[in-house]
């Protein structure tokens, strides 16, 4: 039996949708929303009808009848901590993301859009590998300050999909392997998969800097900067997330531009870019200790993993730990669709969302 699955992934100014028939991609489309339109809404929740209308209009343009669908799968929104994998969307989940989200975010719109489409035609709808996935070991939650516990925040959807894909390519089950996955994008996070769970991680604010994020910085100097009187809270947040990393040092977030600088002989650009690779390698090394060095594979994924320059620097430093696999790109739509497909095929069970 063939399954047709619609995947939905809202971003701040766009809604990405994809249609898959089993593992085959039929189409992927980013539906852009003008910033003026987005700004006309008081909050994210008010955008729901607009975004749903845009999705349905596009499907109509494609002459696609939603009655052909087997399921709809959505990016997980800002729920309280959940486990990895699939959750069936229910009324309680819709109430949480619409009225009581952990924080306002465009991803909160995904489940309501999916639920609306699926309910109309009597098919199941799911979220898969929510950004709020939390399966950390208890020992991994200890930070050194009781007031600042470590929490689970990483690029779960893409990293877990790549780990599952890698295991399958080796004829292994995902839960049989210890795999470190580094997601290299606008933000960089690294996590370790063991026993089928993400048991620890290096989040994008406690590890390597990235194109636009500062990553881990010296705490004492950060405190001094916060109380220097030069910056307000909002500006400090932007210094760490948005205006940090490559942007702060080299005034660009485009790794290709940085490599052009390096190829033109810019030694500062080379130092900064190699420092980013150096810090990524350190993060990978940190996580290898979680499983006592028994790492089966290291995967580099995300958009910047297309860079042969950066990945070669990382490989030089970490290949002694385990084989390094490059699985470039941000494969979120595929990850959503494949997750739902496994549920439909009975290879995974979907969990019921409760509070």
């Amino acid at each position: 039996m063939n399954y047709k699955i619609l995947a939905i992934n809202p971003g701040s100014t766009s809604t990405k949708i994809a249609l898959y028939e089993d593992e085959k991609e039929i189409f992927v489309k980013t539906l852009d929303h003008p910033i003026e339109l987005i700004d006309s809404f008081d909050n994210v929740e008010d955008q729901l009808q607009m975004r749903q209308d845009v999705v349905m209009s596009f499907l109509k343009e494609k002459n696609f009848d939603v009655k052909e669908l087997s399921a709809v799968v959505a990016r997980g929104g800002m729920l309280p901590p959940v486990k990895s994998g699939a959750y069936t969307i229910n009324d309680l989940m819709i109430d949480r993301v619409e009225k009581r989200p952990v924080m306002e975010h465009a991803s909160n719109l995904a489940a309501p859009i999916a639920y609306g489409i699926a309910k109309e035609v009597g098919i199941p709808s799911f979220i898969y590998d929510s950004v709020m996935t939390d399966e950390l070991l208890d020992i991994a939650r200890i930070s050194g300050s009781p007031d600042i516990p470590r929490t689970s925040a990483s690029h779960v959807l893409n990293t877990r999909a790549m780990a599952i894909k890698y295991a399958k390519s080796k004829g292994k089950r995902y839960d049989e392997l210890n795999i470190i996955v580094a997601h290299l994008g606008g933000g960089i996070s690294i996590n370790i998969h063991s026993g089928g769970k993400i048991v620890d991680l290096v989040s994008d604010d406690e590890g390597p800097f990235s194109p636009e994020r500062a990553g881990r910085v010296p705490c004492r100097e950060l405190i001094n900067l916060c109380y220097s009187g030069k910056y307000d809270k909002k500006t400090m947040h932007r210094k760490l997330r948005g205006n940090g990393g490559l942007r702060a040092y080299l005034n660009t977030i485009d790794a290709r531009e940085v490599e052009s600088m390096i190829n033109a002989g810019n030694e500062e650009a080379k130092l900064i870019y190699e420092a980013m690779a150096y810090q990524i390698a350190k993060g990978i090394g940190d996580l290898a200790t979680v499983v006592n060095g028994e790492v089966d594979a290291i995967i580099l994924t995300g958009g910047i993993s297309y860079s042969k320059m950066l990945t070669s620097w990382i490989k030089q430093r970490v290949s002694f730990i385990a084989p390094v696999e490059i699985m470039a790109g941000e494969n979120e739509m595929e990850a959503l669709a494949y997750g739902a497909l496994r549920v439909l095929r009975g290879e995974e069970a979907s969990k019921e969302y409760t509070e």
Side-chain angles (χ1 to χ4, degrees):
M1 179 179 179
N2 292 346
Y3 295 103
K4 288 186 178 179
I5 298 166
L6 180 68
I8 299 172
N9 185 358
S12 57
T13 60
S14 67
T15 302
K16 184 175 281 190
I17 64 172
L19 179 66
Y20 280 76
E21 184 168 2
D22 293 340
E23 289 89 353
K24 181 183 178 183
E25 178 190 300
I26 306 302
F27 65 74
V28 174
K29 178 67 176 180
T30 299
L31 304 170
D32 293 315
H33 311 304
I35 189 65
E36 298 82 10
L37 178 59
I38 294 295
D39 287 345
S40 70
F41 294 97
D42 291 334
N43 53 57
V44 168
E45 288 72 28
D46 292 343
Q47 300 170 21
L48 176 59
Q49 190 62 55
M50 177 274 290
R51 294 206 190 216
Q52 188 161 335
D53 290 344
V54 170
V55 169
M56 296 306 292
S57 294
F58 176 77
L59 293 177
K60 189 174 181 180
E61 286 175 20
K62 299 288 285 187
N63 294 316
F64 181 76
D65 187 347
V66 293
K67 292 179 182 178
E68 296 180 35
L69 290 171
S70 306
V72 188
V73 61
R75 182 182 181 188
M78 295 295 158
L79 300 164
V82 293
K83 301 300 182 183
S84 61
Y87 279 81
T88 300
I89 301 174
N90 57 22
D91 290 332
L92 182 59
M93 183 187 295
I94 296 301
D95 180 73
R96 167 60 80 165
V97 295
E98 286 189 343
K99 300 175 182 176
R100 300 173 292 119
V102 172
M103 64 179 288
E104 186 173 279
H105 194 273
S107 62
N108 293 333
L109 301 171
I113 295 172
Y115 193 51
I117 295 171
K119 198 170 184 180
E120 182 181 328
V121 293
I123 57 175
S125 57
F126 312 101
I127 62 167
Y128 197 86
D129 278 349
S130 168
V131 68
M132 301 303 286
T133 295
D134 186 345
E135 299 174 320
L136 294 187
L137 298 169
D138 287 342
I139 198 170
R141 300 183 190 280
I142 308 303
S143 69
S145 171
D147 294 326
I148 315 173
R150 293 185 70 239
T151 57
S152 181
S154 67
H155 296 84
V156 177
L157 185 58
N158 186 44
T159 56
R160 191 166 176 271
M162 294 304 99
I164 292 171
K165 192 173 187 176
Y166 174 84
K168 188 174 182 180
S169 74
K170 299 300 180 182
K172 299 283 189 178
R173 294 197 320 270
Y174 166 59
D175 61 5
E176 292 181 310
L177 301 178
N178 294 330
I179 304 173
I180 296 173
V181 189
H183 178 97
L184 314 181
I188 291 174
S189 66
I190 313 166
N191 51 36
I192 182 160
H193 306 240
S194 181
K197 297 179 180 179
I198 297 174
V199 296
D200 204 348
L201 54 86
V202 176
S203 68
D204 66 1
D205 61 354
E206 62 178 7
F209 67 84
S210 71
E212 57 185 38
R213 298 174 195 174
R216 178 172 53 201
V217 295
C219 291
R220 284 179 297 179
E221 293 305 316
L222 177 61
I223 292 168
N224 290 339
L225 201 58
C226 287
Y227 286 90
S228 67
K230 296 179 181 179
Y231 310 106
D232 60 17
K233 183 178 179 180
K234 183 177 180 180
T235 304
M236 283 303 304
H237 272 290
R238 291 296 295 170
K239 283 181 77 67
L240 298 178
R241 301 178 67 85
N243 293 329
L246 295 182
R247 171 173 277 162
Y249 284 107
L250 301 172
N251 200 33
T252 181
I253 61 171
D254 191 331
R256 293 165 298 185
E257 287 187 20
V258 176
E259 293 191 18
S260 293
M261 295 178 194
I262 294 169
N263 292 331
N266 187 323
E267 290 299 322
E268 181 189 7
K270 182 176 184 295
L271 175 64
I272 300 304
Y273 202 47
E274 190 167 3
M276 190 166 78
Y278 174 84
Q279 291 192 8
I280 294 164
K282 284 174 66 177
I284 291 169
D286 279 355
L287 292 179
T289 65
V290 172
V291 291
N292 303 314
E294 296 178 5
V295 181
D296 295 294
I298 296 165
I299 297 171
L300 305 181
T301 186
I304 305 179
S305 58
Y306 283 111
S307 167
K308 293 182 179 179
M309 183 183 294
L310 189 80
T311 56
S312 67
W313 283 331
I314 298 169
K315 287 174 73 172
Q316 286 172 17
R317 294 185 181 276
V318 303
S319 58
F320 75 95
I321 298 171
V324 179
E325 187 87 8
I326 310 296
M327 302 177 74
E330 298 187 8
N331 308 288
E332 292 186 336
M333 305 310 288
E334 177 186 295
L336 288 170
Y338 282 21
L341 182 61
R342 288 190 291 273
V343 173
L344 294 175
R345 286 176 171 171
E347 297 170 4
E348 288 185 23
S350 180
K351 294 175 277 292
E352 190 74 15
Y353 179 74
T354 59
E355 293 183 356

